[in-house]
Amino acid sequence: AQSVSQHNHHVILSEAASLELGCNYSYGGTVNLFWYVQYPGQHLQLLLKYFSGDPLVKGIKGFEAEFIKSKFSFNLRKPSVQWSDTAEYFCAVNAPLRAGNNRKLIWGLGTSLAVNP
Amino acid sequence: GEEVAQTPKHLVRGEGQKAKLYCAPIKGHSYVFWYQQVLKNEFKFLISFQNENVFDETGMPKERFSAKCLPNSPCSLEIQATKLEDSAVYFCASSQGTLGGQPQHFGDGTRLSIL
């Protein structure tokens, strides 16, 4: 069965520190990869996605992620975090069901990021 | 609308009672997904619809859970004879089109508390 692993459950950083959150998935076929963020009291928002093409994907708010197919990884990065980045971060993968059709998401367990001012 | 609208925000039911949750997808989106988030972090896929048709129901518990998406009505998720373990936040998401890379847009969720 497909699965998504997020290595860090809780991360605490100071402002201006660099961030990298790990995400690995298990599936050998074509995948689409997503990072969602959930700010306190808010709904899930899409940070970025990888569908095809350039494996280095840039998202909103200065976030980026790199798809490394050989490592089945899609790590999220930000060079310099801010206090406002405090949130839950979820990695998700499209589980292929039927080619060309929209598919359910398989989720990692999330990483709780706290940025200290 | 421009956002996925879920109602109610919080629903409290006694064990054994019925619970019904609603979701209005973003206008123009063809796909609706339901996810259950237990213990804050674990998302479990329940069911998806393409318009009013069930697209994938592999995550739905065989008993007690049912869902519908009827034309011109909000989608609904209904739980009969609720159990304590049904306590969770239920998220609805919608997306447009049939391309696999289309992102899912999420509602605020309904927090279901079973007492």
Side-chain angles (χ1 to χ4, degrees), chain A residues 75-116:
Chain A
N75 292 354
L76 181 71
R77 299 194 292 249
K78 185 170 183 178
S80 175
V81 295
Q82 301 172 308
W83 176 78
S84 58
D85 294 324
T86 295
E88 300 279 339
Y89 292 81
F90 294 92
C91 181
V93 173
N94 265 145
L97 179 62
R98 304 172 199 168
N101 286 318
N102 213 323
R103 312 155 193 168
K104 64 184 178 185
L105 290 170
I106 306 297
W107 297 84
L109 291 181
T111 297
S112 178
L113 172 65
V115 179
N116 295 323

Side-chain angles (χ1 to χ4, degrees), chain A residues 36 43 49 94 100 102 105 109, chain B residues 41 55 95 98 100-101 104 108:
Chain A
Y36 281 86
H43 59 258
K49 67 173 184 177
N94 265 145
N102 213 323
L105 290 170
L109 291 181
Chain B
N41 280 359
F55 188 72
S95 67
T98 58
Q104 295 175 22
D108 289 338

Side-chain angles (χ1 to χ4, degrees), chain A residues 44-64:
Chain A
L44 285 162
Q45 300 173 41
L46 180 69
L47 266 182
L48 47 78
K49 67 173 184 177
Y50 172 78
F51 183 33
S52 64
D54 189 344
L56 184 60
V57 178
K58 301 232 183 262
I60 61 171
K61 304 186 181 186
F63 286 91
E64 65 178 31

Side-chain angles (χ1 to χ4, degrees), chain B residues 15 61 79 81 89:
Chain B
E15 199 173 8
I79 309 172
V89 180

